[in-house]
Amino acid sequence: MYATLVSQGEQCFTLFLDHAALVQKTMYEGVDSTVYVYAPDSPDLQLHLDKIQGYNTRPDEPTHWKEEVYKGADFFDKMIAEKKGNVVVMAGNNRLKTDYIQKTIGAGFNVLADKPMVISASKFNQLKESFATAEKNKVLLYDIMTERYEISTMLQRAFSRQAMVFGTLEKGTPDNPAVTKESVHHFYKNVSGNTLIRPSWFMDVAQQGEGIVDVTTHLVDLVQWECFPEQIIDYQKDIRLTSARRWTTDMTLSQFKAITKQNAFPDYLKKDVVEDSILRVYSNGEINYQLRGIHAKVSVKWAYKAPEGAGDTHYSIMRGTKANLVIRQEAAQQYKPTLYIEAIAGNKDMEASLEAALPKIQQEFPGVEVKKIASGWEVIIPDKYKEGHEAHFGRVAQKYLDYLKEGKMPAWEVPNMIAKYYTTTQALELAKKSK
């Protein structure tokens, strides 16, 4: 499903629904307030419109979008034919996303796509071709990497560039990687007293993608972005997969009903149903690989429901020759991502090194401090930096607008997107062979 944001100047957006609404949570200079929506008539469309209405009517900094809606089975062809704008933003069901990207780029639109842009190795070359076509057509294809704007990750990256604190990145081993990133998510969520309703297709890996090619995209992106900042990665030379595995989250029919409000499994999910009432979703995955000789491990896990009082979690470590930079988000951190600096055994100079390095960090992040604790130092982050996940969509959209104004992206962005999707899609192939 799509919506189109038309700019007063040269910039314009066309949006897949779902995360598309989050891109519209704020207004943008130079982007027209009229939005053209192309979609089949469905509950997803109404949810999208309801979200926009909520942004328009909120008491603090309301938006003023105007939605003009086209409903029909031919919504995609209609959007291409009418060409109300020149940028397409895609999010939601991933089954046809790679096809949509290729056709949209071929029609001369710019594309800002939510992750993942591709969910299978069979379509990896199709995505590569889309990047080549984008260059030929002088348009920009970019994906929505919101996690680059999470403050604890930004600071982990910043401290890793302070050699007096971090040293250099270890090489690591498969059993003890230099970089590890793990995220845990939950199908059942209670938001403002209501159960979060998920579309049935969200549990279909043919439409959403397996976990190893979905959420893992963010983690692979962050490994590249933190370990080799602003450097071009060549997927044919710099990436070597060591191992990969995938496993299911099992869901009963009653659990499925609770999160979808559907009374039965749809036909497209029956391929994944065992014993007539247990849905097996390949939502979990782990990749062990080498990036320019650095051992990395990324993993994503989906449980059905978090324990009482718990929530989604994230764990990340970068191991340096002088210190480890660790993000934890467990009960001890009240499920808020928190960055720690932990000196390597025998390093007696950390306090002096931090004192010397902190002013450099504060030039980019004013107000950030460090506090001595038993295990090392906790990075104290002012609340002004803790925007929340939804705000990060606006950050990515603004960055993309800046690239459009410049008419180009940094030289490393496209090859590194290709490298990222090579890693995830090849890992899925490897995991399928490693049963």
Side-chain angles (χ1 to χ4, degrees):
M1 296 164 192
Y2 292 83
T4 306
L5 282 76
V6 181
S7 164
Q8 293 171 337
E10 292 299 316
Q11 318 311 338
C12 147
F13 296 105
T14 300
L15 305 168
F16 235 124
L17 303 188
D18 185 26
H19 277 163
L22 296 177
V23 175
Q24 289 183 256
K25 198 172 182 179
T26 186
M27 306 298 295
Y28 305 94
E29 183 180 352
V31 176
D32 196 279
S33 59
T34 299
V35 179
Y36 295 86
V37 181
Y38 296 84
D41 193 2
S42 71
D44 287 349
L45 170 60
Q46 193 55 50
L47 283 171
H48 173 86
L49 297 175
D50 289 346
K51 282 184 180 179
I52 304 305
Q53 180 63 14
Y55 301 152
N56 282 346
T57 57
R58 67 191 177 203
D60 297 325
E61 298 183 9
T63 54
H64 48 274
W65 301 112
K66 302 179 188 71
E67 311 283 297
E68 294 194 11
V69 182
Y70 172 83
K71 300 178 187 178
D74 62 342
F75 68 94
F76 182 78
D77 293 336
K78 191 78 169 177
M79 183 272 293
I80 293 289
E82 292 191 344
K83 200 168 187 178
K84 295 287 189 179
N86 66 348
V87 181
V88 178
V89 183
M90 297 188 181
N93 191 309
N94 299 310
R95 184 174 68 89
L96 297 175
K97 189 183 286 180
T98 312
D99 299 334
Y100 285 155
I101 287 172
Q102 186 176 49
K103 291 175 183 177
T104 309
I105 289 290
F109 290 89
N110 298 277
V111 174
L112 174 62
D114 192 24
K115 63 80 196 160
M117 291 203 284
V118 61
I119 62 174
S120 67
S122 64
K123 290 196 172 184
F124 171 73
N125 283 332
Q126 186 178 341
L127 180 63
K128 263 188 68 183
E129 290 167 7
S130 293
F131 279 110
T133 303
E135 184 175 10
K136 179 182 175 183
N137 289 351
K138 294 183 170 51
V139 295
L140 302 185
L141 172 56
Y142 190 58
D143 60 358
I144 300 177
M145 290 289 100
T146 51
E147 297 310 300
R148 294 185 189 179
Y149 297 86
E150 208 295 310
I151 185 60
S152 61
T153 299
M154 295 171 77
L155 286 167
Q156 185 182 48
R157 181 181 191 247
F159 275 107
S160 75
R161 302 180 83 171
Q162 297 298 320
M164 66 184 80
V165 172
F166 183 67
T168 57
L169 187 64
E170 292 278 11
K171 294 288 187 184
T173 66
D175 293 331
N176 187 20
V179 183
T180 299
K181 291 186 177 291
E182 302 172 351
S183 63
V184 179
H185 303 266
H186 302 91
F187 286 106
Y188 180 98
K189 288 186 178 180
N190 192 288
V191 180
S192 302
N194 298 307
T195 301
L196 178 66
I197 305 303
R198 296 191 184 275
S200 298
W201 59 258
F202 187 79
M203 274 62 73
D204 181 15
V205 295
Q207 299 184 66
Q208 178 64 23
E210 294 202 14
I212 204 168
V213 294
D214 181 21
V215 177
T216 311
T217 307
H218 282 303
L219 306 183
V220 173
D221 181 75
L222 292 180
V223 172
Q224 297 178 172
W225 185 72
E226 292 188 75
C227 295
F228 301 101
E230 299 173 13
Q231 297 179 41
I232 292 174
I233 294 168
D234 183 338
Y235 80 94
Q236 294 175 307
K237 297 178 181 178
D238 294 336
I239 297 165
R240 180 182 172 189
L241 293 176
T242 306
S243 63
R245 64 189 184 102
R246 60 202 269 268
W247 64 101
T248 62
T249 298
D250 294 352
M251 189 181 303
T252 66
L253 178 57
S254 61
Q255 289 174 326
F256 178 80
K257 288 179 181 179
I259 61 173
T260 65
K261 303 305 179 187
Q262 302 298 312
N263 291 322
F265 295 123
D267 288 344
Y268 57 75
L269 282 177
K270 289 179 179 175
K271 67 184 185 303
D272 303 319
V273 175
V274 297
E275 299 173 8
D276 295 326
S277 62
I278 304 296
L279 177 65
R280 307 190 73 197
V281 186
Y282 273 100
S283 52
N284 311 288
E286 178 182 284
I287 311 171
N288 282 274
Y289 65 109
Q290 293 179 55
L291 180 62
R292 290 190 181 173
I294 300 294
H295 286 272
K297 182 177 81 170
V298 297
S299 62
V300 60
K301 302 173 185 177
W302 281 81
Y304 178 72
K305 185 178 180 181
E308 193 64 34
D312 291 353
T313 63
H314 176 71
Y315 170 79
S316 172
I317 182 170
M318 295 181 73
R319 299 197 301 112
T321 53
K322 294 183 179 180
N324 295 331
L325 304 174
V326 190
I327 298 172
R328 298 185 176 92
Q329 189 182 356
E330 301 286 348
Q333 291 80 35
Q334 292 156 336
Y335 299 100
K336 306 292 185 186
T338 306
L339 176 62
Y340 300 94
I341 301 171
E342 299 173 355
I344 298 300
N347 182 355
K348 307 296 185 185
D349 302 324
M350 183 55 66
E351 191 157 2
S353 298
L354 273 172
E355 189 174 332
L358 194 57
K360 297 178 182 178
I361 297 292
Q362 291 169 335
Q363 285 178 9
E364 186 175 358
F365 304 99
V368 167
E369 300 286 352
V370 294
K371 179 177 74 174
K372 186 76 172 75
I373 58 174
S375 60
W377 284 263
E378 177 183 342
V379 178
I380 306 302
I381 303 171
D383 287 343
K384 66 181 178 180
Y385 294 115
K386 299 174 182 178
E387 301 176 316
H389 179 63
E390 291 191 0
H392 299 158
F393 285 84
R395 295 279 186 182
V396 177
Q398 187 58 61
K399 174 65 73 174
Y400 185 65
L401 285 171
D402 293 342
Y403 289 160
L404 289 174
K405 289 174 185 174
E406 294 172 17
K408 62 180 180 178
M409 295 186 289
W412 53 272
E413 282 281 20
V414 168
N416 291 14
M417 281 186 276
I418 293 171
K420 171 174 57 191
Y421 288 110
Y422 172 81
T423 302
T424 57
T425 56
Q426 287 298 312
L428 176 58
E429 290 299 294
L430 181 59
K432 287 180 175 179
K433 296 173 184 175
S434 304
K435 291 182 179 179

